[in-house]
Amino acid sequence: MFDAIATRYDLLNRIISLGLDRAWRRAAVRALELRPGHRVLDLATGTADMALLALRLQPGIRVIGLDPSPKMLAVAANKLRSTQGVALGEGDAMRLPLADDAIDATMIAFGIRNVPDRLQGLREMARVTRPGGRVAILELTEPRRGPFAPLARAWTRHAVPLIGAAISGAAEYRYLQRSVAAFPAPEAFAALMRDGGLEPLAVRILGFGACCLFVGTPRGASGG
Ligand SMILES: C[S@@+](CC[C@H](N)C(=O)[O-])C[C@H]1O[C@@H](n2cnc3c(N)ncnc32)[C@H](O)[C@@H]1O
């Protein structure tokens, strides 16, 4: 599905999030507490926006960007032509081609929603991230509470599919709306993180509830 929208994906991201995704992405990268030399995993890297941002905010890191969509990876490779420090590869969040504890910090932005077995994806993040390392999960959510919730819900339910279809010419943006609506509430997702072996350290509601940032760390042997 992501192959079909790869070339227009970045533009659509900006429009659909009203430009807010940039600030949300920065919050996710900062939560990773990156240091020079860190090995950083960008899961569902897509067009590599997160990998590039991480390198900009913390030069001297090495990023591995994995995604199952060859066309998204092709757009990413094009964007990364003059950038050192990012290795791209095809990869599924449910079966990571990485050793235990191989990574200092893992991120996945707007990707966990698409992973068919989210618990398995979380288990894999917990497995490959070293003890004490950070995991940042950024995801779109349906605004449920607060004065702006009805407006934000109307935006994701009605405007997003229309704008997405108009610009990309694809029906895929119906899927976006449906998958956002089906994503668990923040408390339920934090519980799933725990089940997957990640201790939630922070849950930040962003964009009046349109986005949520989950920060976790692998639970040690004593943490269960
Ligand atoms: C909405 S895009 C997000 C891309 C990028 N992280 C960003 O911030 O713009 C979702 C990405 O998830 C990828 N994806 C879908 N299923 C996946 C899976 N099982 N494992 C890893 N990535 C997956 C898609 O190919 C797509 O590139």
Side-chain angles (χ1 to χ4, degrees), residues 91-195:
D92 185 330
M94 297 178 292
R95 276 180 305 276
L96 294 178
L98 293 163
D100 296 0
D101 305 339
I103 295 293
D104 295 294
T106 298
M107 56 187 170
I108 180 166
F110 315 118
I112 191 73
R113 195 171 17 95
N114 306 303
V115 176
D117 185 343
R118 288 186 199 129
L119 182 60
Q120 175 59 17
L122 292 166
R123 280 195 187 117
E124 280 291 83
M125 291 180 217
R127 178 181 71 76
V128 301
T129 308
R130 68 161 166 80
R134 289 282 184 274
V135 175
I137 302 170
L138 195 60
E139 195 46 273
L140 296 174
T141 42
E142 235 195 12
R144 289 179 165 92
R145 293 179 213 127
F148 292 101
L151 199 63
R153 262 201 313 272
W155 177 256
T156 49
R157 283 188 189 172
H158 305 297
V160 165
L162 283 178
I163 296 170
I167 295 180
S168 72
E172 277 76 5
Y173 282 82
R174 284 257 160 243
Y175 161 81
L176 170 65
Q177 183 272 318
R178 280 198 298 264
S179 63
V180 171
F183 194 73
E187 313 78 57
F189 187 75
L192 194 69
M193 284 174 72
R194 219 170 263 123
D195 292 345

